[in-house]
Amino acid sequence: MIYDDFETFAAAVPNFTPIAGLDFGDKTVGVAISDRMGTVATPLETIRRKKFTLDAARLFEIVKDREVGALLLGLPRNMDGTEGPRCQKTRAFARNLAKLTELPIGFWDERLSTVAAERALLEADTSRKRRAEVIDHVAASYILQGALDRMRHIKAG
């Protein structure tokens, strides 16, 4: 089921299950995974997009192997908060995933996540070639970490 409201999504996430954070793009899907306590997001891999069925098959292999309890997609809003074509593509991807799984699917505003990931990789003196290889799943971890931090505040509040 897809949740547009983040608080409702957070309530739907089963306790003590990892969440997969996804940075959906035209050519790749960056994947990050949380720990079971929902405190730390770790970059996992970048899926090179081919066809939806192949992309989804790889994603659901990860879901099964990691016992993932929910999927969180970065929603690439415009800087003024409006939704453009990239948001529409991300929402369409989520709708297609929802047809294949009962897992809760939510969205997190990902504005500037790729910029933050790029900055962190530059500060770590990562080579240009290596940055290109890892940027998508590092961006996914930034998206997921932001959501995990928010979920902790919701539960504490």
Side-chain angles (χ1 to χ4, degrees):
M1 177 168 199
I2 296 175
Y3 296 89
D4 259 331
D5 177 67
F6 186 74
E7 281 74 15
T8 309
F9 166 76
V13 174
N15 289 331
F16 307 111
T17 60
I19 300 172
L22 308 176
D23 182 23
F24 178 76
D26 289 332
K27 296 179 182 171
T28 61
V29 179
V31 182
I33 197 98
S34 76
D35 62 321
R36 291 186 173 278
M37 299 304 293
T39 53
V40 178
T42 304
L44 187 63
E45 75 174 70
T46 297
I47 299 170
R48 299 263 166 237
R49 292 191 51 210
K50 295 175 182 97
K51 288 181 4 188
F52 174 77
T53 51
L54 297 173
D55 304 342
R58 176 62 194 132
L59 179 60
F60 288 122
E61 281 177 32
I62 294 168
V63 164
K64 184 175 179 241
D65 292 347
R66 301 285 180 143
E67 300 175 352
V68 168
L71 302 173
L72 181 81
L73 283 99
L75 198 60
R77 295 182 191 272
N78 296 321
M79 290 309 289
D80 64 2
T82 59
E83 293 190 11
R86 289 190 58 227
C87 281
Q88 293 169 358
K89 287 179 184 176
T90 301
R91 289 186 181 281
F93 184 71
R95 284 191 300 274
N96 289 332
L97 288 175
K99 293 174 188 172
L100 303 175
T101 184
E102 295 293 314
L103 293 176
I105 299 172
F107 300 102
W108 183 255
D109 185 343
E110 70 155 85
R111 281 179 275 191
L112 301 178
S113 63
T114 302
V115 173
E118 181 83 22
R119 186 173 297 132
L121 291 168
L122 283 168
E123 288 173 8
D125 202 26
T126 309
S127 72
R128 183 176 303 214
K129 181 177 185 286
R130 183 71 180 138
R131 282 197 311 270
E133 293 169 0
V134 302
I135 188 69
D136 296 310
H137 57 274
V138 171
S141 74
Y142 269 82
I143 292 164
L144 181 55
Q145 189 63 56
L148 294 173
D149 293 346
R150 178 74 183 117
M151 289 170 82
R152 264 198 315 281
H153 277 71
I154 291 169
K155 290 178 182 175

